[in-house]
Amino acid sequence: QVQLVESGGGLVQAGDSLRLSCAAPGLTFSMYRMGWFRQAPGKEREFVSGISRSGGRTLYADSVKGRFTISRDNAKNTVYLQMNSLTPEDTAVYSCAADPTVSTVPESNWSRYSFYGRGTQVTVSS
């Protein structure tokens, strides 16, 4: 069974940074493209960022471009999301997702991912 475990969330002030991690023990990690999604209370889930299997290609939502950076360490079976210049609008539950694929490009569509973590709460106060 695939298990994705997010960590690194918390309560921060506007302008602060956080780094989220998503560990995927037991996976042949390099065969999975990975993504980060978020859902704020009362809002639909939205794509944040995606990364290809090798890490060579990344994709960002316009709302986070230039502030967030996705990366992965295939040796550690972990994907990261470095979040800088956080704003209250970034407050949400952040979840990672994994998709076993032969594709070499990242994916922004939640429904195309096969496995999901439970998420970690990020709260940004003004």
PDB file of all heavy atoms in Angstrom, residues 74-115:
ATOM      1  N   ASN A  74      15.207  11.699  -4.866  1.00  0.00           N
ATOM      2  CA  ASN A  74      14.783  10.330  -5.149  1.00  0.00           C
ATOM      3  C   ASN A  74      15.492   9.308  -4.274  1.00  0.00           C
ATOM      4  O   ASN A  74      14.957   8.223  -4.031  1.00  0.00           O
ATOM      5  CB  ASN A  74      14.982  10.016  -6.627  1.00  0.00           C
ATOM      6  CG  ASN A  74      13.932  10.684  -7.504  1.00  0.00           C
ATOM      7  OD1 ASN A  74      12.954  11.255  -7.004  1.00  0.00           O
ATOM      8  ND2 ASN A  74      14.130  10.641  -8.811  1.00  0.00           N
ATOM      9  N   ALA A  75      16.664   9.658  -3.790  1.00  0.00           N
ATOM     10  CA  ALA A  75      17.380   8.742  -2.894  1.00  0.00           C
ATOM     11  C   ALA A  75      16.706   8.664  -1.530  1.00  0.00           C
ATOM     12  O   ALA A  75      16.847   7.660  -0.821  1.00  0.00           O
ATOM     13  CB  ALA A  75      18.823   9.189  -2.740  1.00  0.00           C
ATOM     14  N   LYS A  76      15.979   9.722  -1.176  1.00  0.00           N
ATOM     15  CA  LYS A  76      15.297   9.758   0.126  1.00  0.00           C
ATOM     16  C   LYS A  76      13.792   9.557  -0.006  1.00  0.00           C
ATOM     17  O   LYS A  76      13.065   9.651   0.982  1.00  0.00           O
ATOM     18  CB  LYS A  76      15.575  11.091   0.825  1.00  0.00           C
ATOM     19  CG  LYS A  76      17.033  11.300   1.202  1.00  0.00           C
ATOM     20  CD  LYS A  76      17.218  12.613   1.951  1.00  0.00           C
ATOM     21  CE  LYS A  76      18.674  12.791   2.373  1.00  0.00           C
ATOM     22  NZ  LYS A  76      18.895  14.069   3.106  1.00  0.00           N
ATOM     23  N   ASN A  77      13.325   9.317  -1.227  1.00  0.00           N
ATOM     24  CA  ASN A  77      11.886   9.130  -1.447  1.00  0.00           C
ATOM     25  C   ASN A  77      11.066  10.282  -0.875  1.00  0.00           C
ATOM     26  O   ASN A  77      10.032  10.082  -0.226  1.00  0.00           O
ATOM     27  CB  ASN A  77      11.405   7.808  -0.828  1.00  0.00           C
ATOM     28  CG  ASN A  77      11.712   6.605  -1.695  1.00  0.00           C
ATOM     29  OD1 ASN A  77      12.690   6.619  -2.438  1.00  0.00           O
ATOM     30  ND2 ASN A  77      10.913   5.565  -1.601  1.00  0.00           N
ATOM     31  N   THR A  78      11.534  11.490  -1.122  1.00  0.00           N
ATOM     32  CA  THR A  78      10.896  12.651  -0.525  1.00  0.00           C
ATOM     33  C   THR A  78      10.779  13.781  -1.539  1.00  0.00           C
ATOM     34  O   THR A  78      11.709  14.026  -2.320  1.00  0.00           O
ATOM     35  CB  THR A  78      11.689  13.135   0.700  1.00  0.00           C
ATOM     36  OG1 THR A  78      11.784  12.061   1.652  1.00  0.00           O
ATOM     37  CG2 THR A  78      10.994  14.308   1.373  1.00  0.00           C
ATOM     38  N   VAL A  79       9.641  14.443  -1.506  1.00  0.00           N
ATOM     39  CA  VAL A  79       9.436  15.653  -2.284  1.00  0.00           C
ATOM     40  C   VAL A  79       9.232  16.809  -1.312  1.00  0.00           C
ATOM     41  O   VAL A  79       8.661  16.624  -0.228  1.00  0.00           O
ATOM     42  CB  VAL A  79       8.241  15.504  -3.253  1.00  0.00           C
ATOM     43  CG1 VAL A  79       6.942  15.273  -2.507  1.00  0.00           C
ATOM     44  CG2 VAL A  79       8.126  16.709  -4.179  1.00  0.00           C
ATOM     45  N   TYR A  80       9.722  17.975  -1.699  1.00  0.00           N
ATOM     46  CA  TYR A  80       9.681  19.147  -0.833  1.00  0.00           C
ATOM     47  C   TYR A  80       8.925  20.284  -1.500  1.00  0.00           C
ATOM     48  O   TYR A  80       8.850  20.361  -2.731  1.00  0.00           O
ATOM     49  CB  TYR A  80      11.100  19.620  -0.516  1.00  0.00           C
ATOM     50  CG  TYR A  80      11.991  18.550   0.072  1.00  0.00           C
ATOM     51  CD1 TYR A  80      12.869  17.832  -0.732  1.00  0.00           C
ATOM     52  CD2 TYR A  80      11.961  18.266   1.434  1.00  0.00           C
ATOM     53  CE1 TYR A  80      13.692  16.852  -0.200  1.00  0.00           C
ATOM     54  CE2 TYR A  80      12.781  17.285   1.973  1.00  0.00           C
ATOM     55  CZ  TYR A  80      13.644  16.585   1.150  1.00  0.00           C
ATOM     56  OH  TYR A  80      14.448  15.608   1.685  1.00  0.00           O
ATOM     57  N   LEU A  81       8.416  21.168  -0.666  1.00  0.00           N
ATOM     58  CA  LEU A  81       7.836  22.408  -1.163  1.00  0.00           C
ATOM     59  C   LEU A  81       8.350  23.528  -0.267  1.00  0.00           C
ATOM     60  O   LEU A  81       7.938  23.648   0.893  1.00  0.00           O
ATOM     61  CB  LEU A  81       6.307  22.367  -1.151  1.00  0.00           C
ATOM     62  CG  LEU A  81       5.632  23.591  -1.776  1.00  0.00           C
ATOM     63  CD1 LEU A  81       5.886  23.605  -3.291  1.00  0.00           C
ATOM     64  CD2 LEU A  81       4.132  23.585  -1.491  1.00  0.00           C
ATOM     65  N   GLN A  82       9.264  24.303  -0.801  1.00  0.00           N
ATOM     66  CA  GLN A  82       9.781  25.470  -0.085  1.00  0.00           C
ATOM     67  C   GLN A  82       8.851  26.636  -0.369  1.00  0.00           C
ATOM     68  O   GLN A  82       8.647  27.004  -1.534  1.00  0.00           O
ATOM     69  CB  GLN A  82      11.203  25.797  -0.554  1.00  0.00           C
ATOM     70  CG  GLN A  82      11.791  27.045   0.075  1.00  0.00           C
ATOM     71  CD  GLN A  82      12.029  26.895   1.565  1.00  0.00           C
ATOM     72  OE1 GLN A  82      12.516  25.851   2.010  1.00  0.00           O
ATOM     73  NE2 GLN A  82      11.698  27.919   2.337  1.00  0.00           N
ATOM     74  N   MET A  83       8.308  27.205   0.680  1.00  0.00           N
ATOM     75  CA  MET A  83       7.334  28.275   0.542  1.00  0.00           C
ATOM     76  C   MET A  83       7.891  29.537   1.191  1.00  0.00           C
ATOM     77  O   MET A  83       8.120  29.555   2.407  1.00  0.00           O
ATOM     78  CB  MET A  83       6.008  27.878   1.192  1.00  0.00           C
ATOM     79  CG  MET A  83       5.458  26.549   0.686  1.00  0.00           C
ATOM     80  SD  MET A  83       3.810  26.179   1.313  1.00  0.00           S
ATOM     81  CE  MET A  83       4.157  26.031   3.066  1.00  0.00           C
ATOM     82  N   ASN A  84       8.090  30.558   0.399  1.00  0.00           N
ATOM     83  CA  ASN A  84       8.611  31.838   0.885  1.00  0.00           C
ATOM     84  C   ASN A  84       7.568  32.932   0.725  1.00  0.00           C
ATOM     85  O   ASN A  84       6.604  32.789  -0.026  1.00  0.00           O
ATOM     86  CB  ASN A  84       9.872  32.214   0.115  1.00  0.00           C
ATOM     87  CG  ASN A  84      10.997  31.213   0.289  1.00  0.00           C
ATOM     88  OD1 ASN A  84      11.116  30.546   1.317  1.00  0.00           O
ATOM     89  ND2 ASN A  84      11.840  31.096  -0.731  1.00  0.00           N
ATOM     90  N   SER A  85       7.767  34.010   1.435  1.00  0.00           N
ATOM     91  CA  SER A  85       6.875  35.179   1.340  1.00  0.00           C
ATOM     92  C   SER A  85       5.416  34.769   1.482  1.00  0.00           C
ATOM     93  O   SER A  85       4.567  35.169   0.684  1.00  0.00           O
ATOM     94  CB  SER A  85       7.102  35.897   0.000  1.00  0.00           C
ATOM     95  OG  SER A  85       8.445  36.294  -0.134  1.00  0.00           O
ATOM     96  N   LEU A  86       5.141  34.002   2.494  1.00  0.00           N
ATOM     97  CA  LEU A  86       3.789  33.493   2.694  1.00  0.00           C
ATOM     98  C   LEU A  86       2.813  34.625   3.004  1.00  0.00           C
ATOM     99  O   LEU A  86       3.172  35.614   3.664  1.00  0.00           O
ATOM    100  CB  LEU A  86       3.776  32.457   3.806  1.00  0.00           C
ATOM    101  CG  LEU A  86       4.382  31.095   3.409  1.00  0.00           C
ATOM    102  CD1 LEU A  86       4.739  30.287   4.648  1.00  0.00           C
ATOM    103  CD2 LEU A  86       3.418  30.328   2.533  1.00  0.00           C
ATOM    104  N   THR A  87       1.606  34.459   2.544  1.00  0.00           N
ATOM    105  CA  THR A  87       0.528  35.412   2.800  1.00  0.00           C
ATOM    106  C   THR A  87      -0.652  34.665   3.413  1.00  0.00           C
ATOM    107  O   THR A  87      -0.732  33.430   3.318  1.00  0.00           O
ATOM    108  CB  THR A  87       0.077  36.099   1.505  1.00  0.00           C
ATOM    109  OG1 THR A  87      -0.683  35.169   0.730  1.00  0.00           O
ATOM    110  CG2 THR A  87       1.264  36.598   0.685  1.00  0.00           C
ATOM    111  N   PRO A  88      -1.577  35.386   4.032  1.00  0.00           N
ATOM    112  CA  PRO A  88      -2.764  34.711   4.589  1.00  0.00           C
ATOM    113  C   PRO A  88      -3.531  33.908   3.532  1.00  0.00           C
ATOM    114  O   PRO A  88      -4.190  32.918   3.882  1.00  0.00           O
ATOM    115  CB  PRO A  88      -3.595  35.873   5.127  1.00  0.00           C
ATOM    116  CG  PRO A  88      -2.567  36.898   5.501  1.00  0.00           C
ATOM    117  CD  PRO A  88      -1.514  36.800   4.436  1.00  0.00           C
ATOM    118  N   GLU A  89      -3.431  34.312   2.281  1.00  0.00           N
ATOM    119  CA  GLU A  89      -4.119  33.588   1.202  1.00  0.00           C
ATOM    120  C   GLU A  89      -3.511  32.213   0.961  1.00  0.00           C
ATOM    121  O   GLU A  89      -4.109  31.385   0.267  1.00  0.00           O
ATOM    122  CB  GLU A  89      -4.096  34.397  -0.089  1.00  0.00           C
ATOM    123  CG  GLU A  89      -5.004  35.630  -0.092  1.00  0.00           C
ATOM    124  CD  GLU A  89      -4.512  36.719   0.851  1.00  0.00           C
ATOM    125  OE1 GLU A  89      -3.267  36.908   0.942  1.00  0.00           O
ATOM    126  OE2 GLU A  89      -5.348  37.377   1.505  1.00  0.00           O
ATOM    127  N   ASP A  90      -2.358  31.943   1.513  1.00  0.00           N
ATOM    128  CA  ASP A  90      -1.737  30.620   1.390  1.00  0.00           C
ATOM    129  C   ASP A  90      -2.227  29.646   2.459  1.00  0.00           C
ATOM    130  O   ASP A  90      -1.856  28.470   2.436  1.00  0.00           O
ATOM    131  CB  ASP A  90      -0.214  30.747   1.480  1.00  0.00           C
ATOM    132  CG  ASP A  90       0.385  31.524   0.320  1.00  0.00           C
ATOM    133  OD1 ASP A  90      -0.020  31.289  -0.828  1.00  0.00           O
ATOM    134  OD2 ASP A  90       1.271  32.373   0.580  1.00  0.00           O
ATOM    135  N   THR A  91      -3.031  30.127   3.379  1.00  0.00           N
ATOM    136  CA  THR A  91      -3.554  29.263   4.432  1.00  0.00           C
ATOM    137  C   THR A  91      -4.421  28.162   3.834  1.00  0.00           C
ATOM    138  O   THR A  91      -5.365  28.433   3.095  1.00  0.00           O
ATOM    139  CB  THR A  91      -4.376  30.086   5.436  1.00  0.00           C
ATOM    140  OG1 THR A  91      -3.504  31.005   6.103  1.00  0.00           O
ATOM    141  CG2 THR A  91      -5.047  29.182   6.457  1.00  0.00           C
ATOM    142  N   ALA A  92      -4.071  26.917   4.152  1.00  0.00           N
ATOM    143  CA  ALA A  92      -4.779  25.778   3.586  1.00  0.00           C
ATOM    144  C   ALA A  92      -4.180  24.488   4.148  1.00  0.00           C
ATOM    145  O   ALA A  92      -3.131  24.517   4.804  1.00  0.00           O
ATOM    146  CB  ALA A  92      -4.667  25.765   2.067  1.00  0.00           C
ATOM    147  N   VAL A  93      -4.849  23.389   3.862  1.00  0.00           N
ATOM    148  CA  VAL A  93      -4.254  22.073   4.077  1.00  0.00           C
ATOM    149  C   VAL A  93      -3.524  21.698   2.795  1.00  0.00           C
ATOM    150  O   VAL A  93      -4.121  21.690   1.717  1.00  0.00           O
ATOM    151  CB  VAL A  93      -5.319  21.018   4.410  1.00  0.00           C
ATOM    152  CG1 VAL A  93      -4.683  19.630   4.488  1.00  0.00           C
ATOM    153  CG2 VAL A  93      -6.020  21.357   5.720  1.00  0.00           C
ATOM    154  N   TYR A  94      -2.256  21.394   2.936  1.00  0.00           N
ATOM    155  CA  TYR A  94      -1.423  21.054   1.789  1.00  0.00           C
ATOM    156  C   TYR A  94      -1.226  19.541   1.742  1.00  0.00           C
ATOM    157  O   TYR A  94      -0.814  18.933   2.741  1.00  0.00           O
ATOM    158  CB  TYR A  94      -0.070  21.754   1.893  1.00  0.00           C
ATOM    159  CG  TYR A  94      -0.130  23.223   1.586  1.00  0.00           C
ATOM    160  CD1 TYR A  94      -0.751  24.118   2.453  1.00  0.00           C
ATOM    161  CD2 TYR A  94       0.416  23.724   0.411  1.00  0.00           C
ATOM    162  CE1 TYR A  94      -0.819  25.473   2.156  1.00  0.00           C
ATOM    163  CE2 TYR A  94       0.354  25.072   0.101  1.00  0.00           C
ATOM    164  CZ  TYR A  94      -0.264  25.941   0.989  1.00  0.00           C
ATOM    165  OH  TYR A  94      -0.337  27.284   0.695  1.00  0.00           O
ATOM    166  N   SER A  95      -1.498  18.983   0.582  1.00  0.00           N
ATOM    167  CA  SER A  95      -1.379  17.532   0.398  1.00  0.00           C
ATOM    168  C   SER A  95      -0.464  17.235  -0.771  1.00  0.00           C
ATOM    169  O   SER A  95      -0.464  17.961  -1.766  1.00  0.00           O
ATOM    170  CB  SER A  95      -2.752  16.920   0.130  1.00  0.00           C
ATOM    171  OG  SER A  95      -3.646  17.161   1.186  1.00  0.00           O
ATOM    172  N   CYS A  96       0.269  16.155  -0.627  1.00  0.00           N
ATOM    173  CA  CYS A  96       1.066  15.717  -1.766  1.00  0.00           C
ATOM    174  C   CYS A  96       0.351  14.555  -2.461  1.00  0.00           C
ATOM    175  O   CYS A  96      -0.517  13.893  -1.874  1.00  0.00           O
ATOM    176  CB  CYS A  96       2.475  15.311  -1.355  1.00  0.00           C
ATOM    177  SG  CYS A  96       2.585  13.863  -0.311  1.00  0.00           S
ATOM    178  N   ALA A  97       0.724  14.342  -3.699  1.00  0.00           N
ATOM    179  CA  ALA A  97       0.109  13.300  -4.509  1.00  0.00           C
ATOM    180  C   ALA A  97       1.177  12.647  -5.374  1.00  0.00           C
ATOM    181  O   ALA A  97       2.167  13.298  -5.743  1.00  0.00           O
ATOM    182  CB  ALA A  97      -0.990  13.885  -5.377  1.00  0.00           C
ATOM    183  N   ALA A  98       0.960  11.382  -5.669  1.00  0.00           N
ATOM    184  CA  ALA A  98       1.934  10.613  -6.445  1.00  0.00           C
ATOM    185  C   ALA A  98       1.243   9.915  -7.603  1.00  0.00           C
ATOM    186  O   ALA A  98       0.132   9.401  -7.460  1.00  0.00           O
ATOM    187  CB  ALA A  98       2.625   9.583  -5.554  1.00  0.00           C
ATOM    188  N   ASP A  99       1.908   9.915  -8.732  1.00  0.00           N
ATOM    189  CA  ASP A  99       1.353   9.275  -9.915  1.00  0.00           C
ATOM    190  C   ASP A  99       2.419   8.431 -10.585  1.00  0.00           C
ATOM    191  O   ASP A  99       3.409   8.976 -11.088  1.00  0.00           O
ATOM    192  CB  ASP A  99       0.840  10.335 -10.884  1.00  0.00           C
ATOM    193  CG  ASP A  99       0.296   9.730 -12.155  1.00  0.00           C
ATOM    194  OD1 ASP A  99      -0.310   8.632 -12.077  1.00  0.00           O
ATOM    195  OD2 ASP A  99       0.470  10.323 -13.229  1.00  0.00           O
ATOM    196  N   PRO A 100       2.216   7.103 -10.608  1.00  0.00           N
ATOM    197  CA  PRO A 100       3.162   6.254 -11.334  1.00  0.00           C
ATOM    198  C   PRO A 100       2.956   6.446 -12.823  1.00  0.00           C
ATOM    199  O   PRO A 100       1.852   6.289 -13.336  1.00  0.00           O
ATOM    200  CB  PRO A 100       2.773   4.841 -10.888  1.00  0.00           C
ATOM    201  CG  PRO A 100       1.329   4.950 -10.540  1.00  0.00           C
ATOM    202  CD  PRO A 100       1.111   6.342 -10.042  1.00  0.00           C
ATOM    203  N   THR A 101       4.016   6.811 -13.520  1.00  0.00           N
ATOM    204  CA  THR A 101       3.842   7.158 -14.917  1.00  0.00           C
ATOM    205  C   THR A 101       5.142   7.016 -15.684  1.00  0.00           C
ATOM    206  O   THR A 101       6.224   7.060 -15.090  1.00  0.00           O
ATOM    207  CB  THR A 101       3.337   8.605 -15.045  1.00  0.00           C
ATOM    208  OG1 THR A 101       3.136   8.934 -16.415  1.00  0.00           O
ATOM    209  CG2 THR A 101       4.355   9.580 -14.464  1.00  0.00           C
ATOM    210  N   VAL A 102       5.022   6.866 -16.964  1.00  0.00           N
ATOM    211  CA  VAL A 102       6.206   6.896 -17.820  1.00  0.00           C
ATOM    212  C   VAL A 102       6.426   8.299 -18.372  1.00  0.00           C
ATOM    213  O   VAL A 102       7.450   8.571 -18.988  1.00  0.00           O
ATOM    214  CB  VAL A 102       6.100   5.886 -18.979  1.00  0.00           C
ATOM    215  CG1 VAL A 102       6.015   4.459 -18.449  1.00  0.00           C
ATOM    216  CG2 VAL A 102       4.889   6.192 -19.864  1.00  0.00           C
ATOM    217  N   SER A 103       5.464   9.173 -18.095  1.00  0.00           N
ATOM    218  CA  SER A 103       5.576  10.538 -18.594  1.00  0.00           C
ATOM    219  C   SER A 103       6.762  11.253 -17.960  1.00  0.00           C
ATOM    220  O   SER A 103       7.134  10.980 -16.817  1.00  0.00           O
ATOM    221  CB  SER A 103       4.293  11.310 -18.286  1.00  0.00           C
ATOM    222  OG  SER A 103       4.440  12.668 -18.615  1.00  0.00           O
ATOM    223  N   THR A 104       7.324  12.176 -18.698  1.00  0.00           N
ATOM    224  CA  THR A 104       8.466  12.944 -18.204  1.00  0.00           C
ATOM    225  C   THR A 104       8.094  14.379 -17.863  1.00  0.00           C
ATOM    226  O   THR A 104       8.978  15.221 -17.647  1.00  0.00           O
ATOM    227  CB  THR A 104       9.585  12.953 -19.255  1.00  0.00           C
ATOM    228  OG1 THR A 104       9.087  13.542 -20.459  1.00  0.00           O
ATOM    229  CG2 THR A 104      10.091  11.544 -19.532  1.00  0.00           C
ATOM    230  N   VAL A 105       6.793  14.656 -17.818  1.00  0.00           N
ATOM    231  CA  VAL A 105       6.359  16.012 -17.494  1.00  0.00           C
ATOM    232  C   VAL A 105       5.531  15.999 -16.222  1.00  0.00           C
ATOM    233  O   VAL A 105       4.922  14.995 -15.875  1.00  0.00           O
ATOM    234  CB  VAL A 105       5.552  16.623 -18.652  1.00  0.00           C
ATOM    235  CG1 VAL A 105       6.394  16.694 -19.916  1.00  0.00           C
ATOM    236  CG2 VAL A 105       4.270  15.842 -18.897  1.00  0.00           C
ATOM    237  N   PRO A 106       5.490  17.115 -15.500  1.00  0.00           N
ATOM    238  CA  PRO A 106       4.655  17.192 -14.306  1.00  0.00           C
ATOM    239  C   PRO A 106       3.181  17.314 -14.676  1.00  0.00           C
ATOM    240  O   PRO A 106       2.828  17.562 -15.825  1.00  0.00           O
ATOM    241  CB  PRO A 106       5.161  18.455 -13.596  1.00  0.00           C
ATOM    242  CG  PRO A 106       5.819  19.259 -14.645  1.00  0.00           C
ATOM    243  CD  PRO A 106       6.320  18.313 -15.681  1.00  0.00           C
ATOM    244  N   GLU A 107       2.313  17.146 -13.673  1.00  0.00           N
ATOM    245  CA  GLU A 107       0.875  17.118 -13.892  1.00  0.00           C
ATOM    246  C   GLU A 107       0.180  18.043 -12.911  1.00  0.00           C
ATOM    247  O   GLU A 107       0.499  18.037 -11.715  1.00  0.00           O
ATOM    248  CB  GLU A 107       0.363  15.678 -13.715  1.00  0.00           C
ATOM    249  CG  GLU A 107      -1.136  15.510 -13.803  1.00  0.00           C
ATOM    250  CD  GLU A 107      -1.672  15.985 -15.142  1.00  0.00           C
ATOM    251  OE1 GLU A 107      -1.264  15.444 -16.185  1.00  0.00           O
ATOM    252  OE2 GLU A 107      -2.513  16.912 -15.130  1.00  0.00           O
ATOM    253  N   SER A 108      -0.800  18.796 -13.380  1.00  0.00           N
ATOM    254  CA  SER A 108      -1.523  19.724 -12.510  1.00  0.00           C
ATOM    255  C   SER A 108      -2.931  19.248 -12.164  1.00  0.00           C
ATOM    256  O   SER A 108      -3.590  19.858 -11.336  1.00  0.00           O
ATOM    257  CB  SER A 108      -1.611  21.096 -13.178  1.00  0.00           C
ATOM    258  OG  SER A 108      -2.331  21.013 -14.392  1.00  0.00           O
ATOM    259  N   ASN A 109      -3.383  18.173 -12.816  1.00  0.00           N
ATOM    260  CA  ASN A 109      -4.743  17.693 -12.624  1.00  0.00           C
ATOM    261  C   ASN A 109      -4.784  16.675 -11.485  1.00  0.00           C
ATOM    262  O   ASN A 109      -4.204  15.596 -11.575  1.00  0.00           O
ATOM    263  CB  ASN A 109      -5.253  17.067 -13.915  1.00  0.00           C
ATOM    264  CG  ASN A 109      -6.735  16.745 -13.865  1.00  0.00           C
ATOM    265  OD1 ASN A 109      -7.282  16.434 -12.813  1.00  0.00           O
ATOM    266  ND2 ASN A 109      -7.389  16.821 -15.009  1.00  0.00           N
ATOM    267  N   TRP A 110      -5.502  17.017 -10.415  1.00  0.00           N
ATOM    268  CA  TRP A 110      -5.598  16.149  -9.246  1.00  0.00           C
ATOM    269  C   TRP A 110      -6.085  14.749  -9.596  1.00  0.00           C
ATOM    270  O   TRP A 110      -5.590  13.755  -9.069  1.00  0.00           O
ATOM    271  CB  TRP A 110      -6.547  16.813  -8.228  1.00  0.00           C
ATOM    272  CG  TRP A 110      -6.956  15.961  -7.078  1.00  0.00           C
ATOM    273  CD1 TRP A 110      -8.069  15.195  -6.957  1.00  0.00           C
ATOM    274  CD2 TRP A 110      -6.246  15.806  -5.841  1.00  0.00           C
ATOM    275  NE1 TRP A 110      -8.105  14.568  -5.735  1.00  0.00           N
ATOM    276  CE2 TRP A 110      -7.008  14.927  -5.029  1.00  0.00           C
ATOM    277  CE3 TRP A 110      -5.039  16.319  -5.343  1.00  0.00           C
ATOM    278  CZ2 TRP A 110      -6.605  14.573  -3.749  1.00  0.00           C
ATOM    279  CZ3 TRP A 110      -4.649  15.961  -4.071  1.00  0.00           C
ATOM    280  CH2 TRP A 110      -5.417  15.095  -3.289  1.00  0.00           C
ATOM    281  N   SER A 111      -7.036  14.659 -10.487  1.00  0.00           N
ATOM    282  CA  SER A 111      -7.657  13.370 -10.786  1.00  0.00           C
ATOM    283  C   SER A 111      -6.709  12.411 -11.506  1.00  0.00           C
ATOM    284  O   SER A 111      -6.986  11.214 -11.591  1.00  0.00           O
ATOM    285  CB  SER A 111      -8.908  13.576 -11.638  1.00  0.00           C
ATOM    286  OG  SER A 111      -8.557  14.090 -12.910  1.00  0.00           O
ATOM    287  N   ARG A 112      -5.609  12.905 -12.000  1.00  0.00           N
ATOM    288  CA  ARG A 112      -4.650  12.047 -12.698  1.00  0.00           C
ATOM    289  C   ARG A 112      -3.626  11.428 -11.760  1.00  0.00           C
ATOM    290  O   ARG A 112      -2.805  10.633 -12.193  1.00  0.00           O
ATOM    291  CB  ARG A 112      -3.957  12.829 -13.813  1.00  0.00           C
ATOM    292  CG  ARG A 112      -4.928  13.217 -14.930  1.00  0.00           C
ATOM    293  CD  ARG A 112      -4.254  13.860 -16.094  1.00  0.00           C
ATOM    294  NE  ARG A 112      -5.207  14.183 -17.162  1.00  0.00           N
ATOM    295  CZ  ARG A 112      -4.899  14.822 -18.270  1.00  0.00           C
ATOM    296  NH1 ARG A 112      -3.656  15.201 -18.483  1.00  0.00           N
ATOM    297  NH2 ARG A 112      -5.820  15.078 -19.176  1.00  0.00           N
ATOM    298  N   TYR A 113      -3.680  11.826 -10.498  1.00  0.00           N
ATOM    299  CA  TYR A 113      -2.790  11.225  -9.517  1.00  0.00           C
ATOM    300  C   TYR A 113      -3.465  10.004  -8.897  1.00  0.00           C
ATOM    301  O   TYR A 113      -4.686   9.951  -8.766  1.00  0.00           O
ATOM    302  CB  TYR A 113      -2.419  12.236  -8.431  1.00  0.00           C
ATOM    303  CG  TYR A 113      -1.430  13.265  -8.896  1.00  0.00           C
ATOM    304  CD1 TYR A 113      -1.842  14.396  -9.592  1.00  0.00           C
ATOM    305  CD2 TYR A 113      -0.070  13.115  -8.652  1.00  0.00           C
ATOM    306  CE1 TYR A 113      -0.934  15.342 -10.032  1.00  0.00           C
ATOM    307  CE2 TYR A 113       0.852  14.055  -9.075  1.00  0.00           C
ATOM    308  CZ  TYR A 113       0.411  15.164  -9.770  1.00  0.00           C
ATOM    309  OH  TYR A 113       1.328  16.092 -10.196  1.00  0.00           O
ATOM    310  N   SER A 114      -2.653   9.048  -8.511  1.00  0.00           N
ATOM    311  CA  SER A 114      -3.192   7.787  -7.994  1.00  0.00           C
ATOM    312  C   SER A 114      -3.199   7.703  -6.478  1.00  0.00           C
ATOM    313  O   SER A 114      -4.013   6.981  -5.899  1.00  0.00           O
ATOM    314  CB  SER A 114      -2.369   6.619  -8.559  1.00  0.00           C
ATOM    315  OG  SER A 114      -2.410   6.613  -9.969  1.00  0.00           O
ATOM    316  N   PHE A 115      -2.299   8.407  -5.831  1.00  0.00           N
ATOM    317  CA  PHE A 115      -2.156   8.297  -4.383  1.00  0.00           C
ATOM    318  C   PHE A 115      -2.032   9.681  -3.766  1.00  0.00           C
ATOM    319  O   PHE A 115      -1.443  10.582  -4.356  1.00  0.00           O
ATOM    320  CB  PHE A 115      -0.928   7.448  -4.039  1.00  0.00           C
ATOM    321  CG  PHE A 115      -0.924   6.113  -4.720  1.00  0.00           C
ATOM    322  CD1 PHE A 115      -0.110   5.888  -5.824  1.00  0.00           C
ATOM    323  CD2 PHE A 115      -1.742   5.092  -4.278  1.00  0.00           C
ATOM    324  CE1 PHE A 115      -0.116   4.663  -6.465  1.00  0.00           C
ATOM    325  CE2 PHE A 115      -1.749   3.854  -4.917  1.00  0.00           C
ATOM    326  CZ  PHE A 115      -0.938   3.646  -6.008  1.00  0.00           C
TER     327      PHE A 115
END
